[in-house]
Amino acid sequence: MNFDLTEEHRMVQSSAREFAQTELLPGVIERDTAQEFPNELVKKMGDQGFMAVMVDPQYGGGGMDTLSYVLIMEELSKIDASASVMVSVNNSLVCYGLQEYGTEEQKQKYLPKIAAGDYTGAFCLSEPEAGSDATSQQTTAVDKGDHYILNGTKNWITNGGRSGVYLVMAQTDRAKQHRGINCLCVERGTPGFQIGKKEDKLGIRGSDTHTLMFSDVKVPKSNRIGEDGFGFKFAMKTLDGGRIGIAAQALGIAAGAYELALKYSKERKTFGKEIAQHQAIQFKLADMATKIEAARLLVYKAAAEKDAHLPYGLSAAMAKLYASKVAMDVTAEAIQVHGGYGYVKEFHVERLYRDAKITEIYEGTSEIQRMVIARHVLGM
Ligand code: CAA
């Protein structure tokens, strides 16, 4: 067992850290307030190789491993979780899904553009009546021979307003239940596909989250990913990796808040000394550091298992469950260390606190992670 990062991993980590400091930190408060994220910044993340970290270089990707991806996610999330969720959905759900299960034509068509940051991709599983209960898909894709006719509504879709390609899960054969679900690549601008309202969110406000509507959208059969009926398995398999990405995001949010609290504790004075000299603050910092380290070990272990081609669904669920709780705990304590200053925007910890909450919800709520973990440990 080796807990050291390689020289290469350290370089990836430090370049992501530098990018976050120089490109994401300026304007992060304003982007959060305005609920905006400029396309130029997405392009810059593409130029850095963040949009398709693990994609084969022949499709424009970075050809790196999952641990590199996790290190990038951690560093970006310390500063801007809105940026990192775009990176996460692009990498874990869209790029991984296309690279692993897509046809050669689909890979060539979509991956280079996503990798370059020309556009993002979106993963469309959730619906008004199908969130945690993902098999209850109401969106339909009726088989018409050489094409499908797609009808339905998708909810809470990350990158919903800015993507070029949308991976849409839809029910083709209801009699087959989840085995009748397909995943279709739907391109922006396809007639009948409408981008609906943008959500006004508690956190990750810079990222755009939309409702999507499909009304008699004609999708060629060549846009289907995998065999007929593979859609639900496709969603579950990609989400196993997605949960590592979100766990890394939660870890980064926690680590970002902790770093701010640590720095502040050496600057702020009360009762004649730095607050870091007070045991009340020291114990908070000690607990925060310990929880973050435990979360980090779980996240890196899940990434290492994926890289070693071992089963990683259990580790991914554990990492996400634990890291998201740590993000909630640590960001709350970071505000407490800052006192009143922690409650206002310019000290950044209040944003990290708001951003932390979503990590307990998307890509499987904490309750779903417990369900996945319980099924593994019980052998069900
Ligand atoms: N890998 C491969 N196959 C899997 C799998 C996995 N990890 N998990 C389940 N499956 C397969 C099962 O083997 C089964 O297949 P067969 O019937 O052919 O054997 C099929 O999927 C159905 O599985 P279950 O019977 O276990 O289904 P279930 O109804 O009990 O639900 C669940 C399983 C784990 C709860 C699932 O519904 C789930 O993960 N729900 C949460 C959905 C979710 O994470 N949504 C996130 C939305 S995406 C998002 O948030 C992105 C974003 O924008 C940030």
Side-chain angles (χ1 to χ4, degrees):
M1 203 174 289
N2 183 356
F3 292 101
D4 290 335
L5 294 179
T6 62
E7 194 50 40
E8 207 180 356
H9 284 131
R10 283 189 193 286
M11 279 168 60
V12 168
Q13 185 182 47
S14 72
S15 71
R17 188 174 296 164
E18 195 186 323
F19 180 86
Q21 285 295 333
T22 56
E23 299 289 348
L24 295 181
L25 185 57
V28 65
I29 294 172
E30 292 75 12
R31 293 195 297 275
D32 174 76
T33 305
Q35 303 193 77
E36 278 172 11
F37 199 91
N39 284 336
E40 305 82 72
L41 210 40
V42 176
K43 181 75 187 142
K44 280 186 185 176
M45 293 201 287
D47 293 343
Q48 289 290 315
F50 298 156
M51 292 314 226
V53 179
M54 296 165 287
V55 167
D56 194 317
Q58 69 167 307
Y59 305 112
M64 288 188 259
D65 59 9
T66 315
L67 185 55
S68 302
Y69 165 52
V70 157
L71 293 168
I72 291 167
M73 280 298 297
E74 189 180 338
E75 292 306 321
L76 302 185
S77 305
K78 284 181 184 177
I79 305 294
D80 188 350
S82 295
S84 71
V85 69
M86 291 180 209
V87 170
S88 179
V89 168
N90 244 24
N91 279 278
S92 308
L93 302 182
V94 180
C95 289
Y96 174 80
L98 283 168
Q99 172 153 286
E100 203 64 19
Y101 305 108
T103 62
E104 189 54 39
E105 188 194 339
Q106 290 163 358
K107 291 182 212 186
Q108 287 187 12
K109 194 167 186 191
Y110 304 122
L111 289 174
K113 290 208 172 81
I114 296 174
D118 291 344
Y119 57 58
T120 56
F123 181 84
C124 312
L125 177 66
S126 302
E127 296 185 354
E129 299 297 328
S132 289
D133 185 7
T135 57
S136 310
Q137 296 287 304
Q138 300 303 311
T139 299
T140 54
V142 177
D143 191 335
K144 295 283 183 187
D146 65 345
H147 66 274
Y148 291 97
I149 293 294
L150 187 63
N151 277 289
T153 303
K154 293 288 173 180
N155 264 25
W156 311 299
I157 304 303
T158 303
N159 297 339
R162 65 169 73 244
S163 289
V165 61
Y166 297 74
L167 308 190
V168 182
M169 270 35 83
Q171 185 64 258
T172 295
D173 187 346
R174 205 167 289 286
K176 291 186 182 159
Q177 298 171 333
H178 61 267
R179 293 183 189 148
I181 293 172
N182 280 309
C183 176
L184 307 179
C185 303
V186 182
E187 292 170 18
R188 185 190 189 87
T190 308
F193 171 24
Q194 253 189 302
I195 296 166
K197 91 171 157 83
K198 180 170 160 179
E199 301 292 350
D200 184 357
K201 307 190 297 289
L202 171 72
I204 55 161
R205 288 169 59 82
S207 82
D208 64 308
T209 309
H210 285 260
T211 298
L212 307 176
M213 285 91 73
F214 303 93
S215 176
D216 289 333
V217 179
K218 188 175 173 185
V219 185
K221 223 166 217 178
S222 57
N223 284 25
R224 187 184 73 208
I225 298 186
E227 294 296 304
D228 184 30
F230 180 63
F232 190 74
K233 283 243 158 91
F234 169 82
M236 291 298 107
K237 284 169 181 280
T238 49
L239 277 168
D240 277 342
R243 288 164 186 167
I244 301 176
I246 299 303
Q249 180 185 48
L251 168 63
I253 292 171
Y258 164 72
E259 286 173 14
L260 290 168
L262 189 67
K263 181 167 173 284
Y264 183 80
S265 74
K266 295 176 188 168
E267 293 165 0
R268 173 76 168 162
K269 289 198 173 120
T270 60
F271 305 102
K273 53 185 175 185
E274 292 166 354
I275 61 170
Q277 302 299 322
H278 297 302
Q279 197 180 51
I281 301 297
Q282 290 173 356
F283 280 13
K284 285 189 194 303
L285 294 170
D287 284 345
M288 290 157 93
T290 306
K291 286 178 186 176
I292 289 167
E293 192 59 16
R296 186 172 283 127
L297 291 172
L298 281 175
V299 178
Y300 289 10
K301 177 173 180 276
E305 284 180 0
K306 183 163 181 281
D307 286 333
H309 306 289
L310 295 167
Y312 57 89
L314 174 61
S315 296
M318 285 180 168
K320 182 177 183 292
L321 174 66
Y322 187 71
S324 58
K325 176 73 171 73
V326 168
M328 291 298 289
D329 292 349
V330 168
T331 54
E333 283 296 68
I335 292 183
Q336 201 66 18
V337 169
H338 281 77
Y341 290 105
Y343 207 66
V344 297
K345 289 191 187 296
E346 68 182 284
F347 283 77
H348 297 286
V349 283
E350 68 82 34
R351 186 185 68 259
L352 292 167
Y353 177 72
R354 287 187 284 107
D355 288 347
K357 184 60 200 169
I358 192 61
T359 66
E360 292 193 316
I361 300 174
Y362 58 21
E363 302 207 21
T365 61
S366 294
E367 290 72 20
I368 290 294
Q369 305 313 321
R370 288 190 176 92
M371 216 165 122
V372 170
I373 295 164
R375 286 179 182 183
H376 274 277
V377 298
L378 291 166
M380 290 163 74

